[in-house]
Amino acid sequence: MTRPPSQTRDRIQHVARELFRQKGVQRTSLQDIADRLGITKPALYYHFRSREELVRSIIQPLIDEGERFVAENERRRKSARATPRELLEGYFDFHFKHRADLVLVVAELTTLADLGLIDRILAWRQRLSKLVWGTRPTLEQSTRAVIAFGGLQDCCLQFPDAGYVELRRAAVNGAMAALDI
């Protein structure tokens, strides 16, 4: 059963993000989150039945938006092929927008793999590679795409104090160099 969004639900997610970053997902209990919020654990259970459900509620919007980005570009390819630079810029923009939640993804790979979310993220790179290189990229082309798209994601995490415009330019230029197109 999906519950409608609420301010309490948003507050729970906000506090959970903070605690997950500080202590890690596995070391943060629902009681820790309830205590920080000043609510009872049963009140928290009303909104999220488990820690896994809470983690998924934080990460799922990122996954859904990423899936829409890739699918939209796959559809565009059928009518007018997106340039590699446009794909890289869009992929950078997506990761920059979600950089706070990406920290959670990177820090908690095991937990997120258990939830089945990591496989979807990795599949995007393969699908985007095919948009750049066609349906049968060589190993060299595929590795260049992994470096380019993965590097964009990493730049959003590695340089948290860099401004959007400067980081986007540098990261996309670096990714284009990795593709060597």
Side-chain angles (χ1 to χ4, degrees):
M1 173 172 104
T2 303
R3 291 188 172 90
S6 71
Q7 287 183 325
T8 302
R9 187 175 169 87
D10 291 343
R11 284 181 44 232
I12 292 168
Q13 289 172 324
H14 178 77
V15 166
R17 280 182 178 98
E18 289 177 5
L19 289 172
F20 291 159
R21 280 189 209 106
Q22 291 169 9
K23 298 170 61 173
V25 171
Q26 295 302 323
R27 291 182 306 280
T28 301
S29 69
L30 290 180
Q31 187 65 56
D32 294 334
I33 296 166
D35 290 347
R36 175 77 62 96
L37 286 163
I39 64 174
T40 65
K41 196 171 174 183
L44 193 145
Y45 274 120
Y46 172 79
H47 296 279
F48 300 100
R49 291 176 296 211
S50 67
R51 181 177 48 209
E52 290 74 21
E53 183 179 316
L54 176 55
V55 170
R56 186 175 294 279
S57 78
I58 292 169
I59 300 302
Q60 195 65 49
L62 178 142
I63 299 297
D64 293 345
E65 187 176 328
E67 185 60 37
R68 278 191 300 276
F69 169 79
V70 175
E72 184 177 296
N73 279 284
E74 288 171 331
R75 282 190 297 277
R76 280 183 58 197
R77 180 174 184 231
K78 293 177 183 172
S79 58
R81 190 171 187 166
T83 68
R85 180 169 290 277
E86 290 170 333
L87 286 172
L88 294 169
E89 287 171 345
Y91 202 63
F92 174 86
D93 292 345
F94 163 70
H95 284 89
F96 192 88
K97 176 182 175 182
H98 293 286
R99 66 200 305 189
D101 288 337
L102 286 169
V103 170
L104 175 61
V105 170
V106 171
E108 295 291 339
L109 288 176
T110 303
T111 300
L112 297 173
D114 291 344
L115 293 172
L117 301 176
I118 296 299
D119 293 335
R120 290 190 57 195
I121 293 172
L122 295 177
W124 296 340
R125 292 183 191 172
Q126 183 179 22
R127 291 166 60 194
L128 290 167
S129 175
K130 289 179 180 179
L131 291 175
V132 172
W133 301 112
T135 57
R136 297 180 55 93
T138 66
L139 178 59
E140 183 170 337
Q141 290 169 330
S142 294
T143 58
R144 287 178 180 276
V146 167
I147 292 166
F149 289 108
L152 286 175
Q153 178 181 345
D154 292 348
C155 286
C156 288
L157 300 175
Q158 188 69 34
F159 305 106
D161 298 328
Y164 167 78
V165 172
E166 183 181 12
L167 183 58
R168 185 182 198 244
R169 181 187 47 75
V172 170
N173 286 341
M176 287 295 293
L179 290 176
D180 195 27
I181 296 178

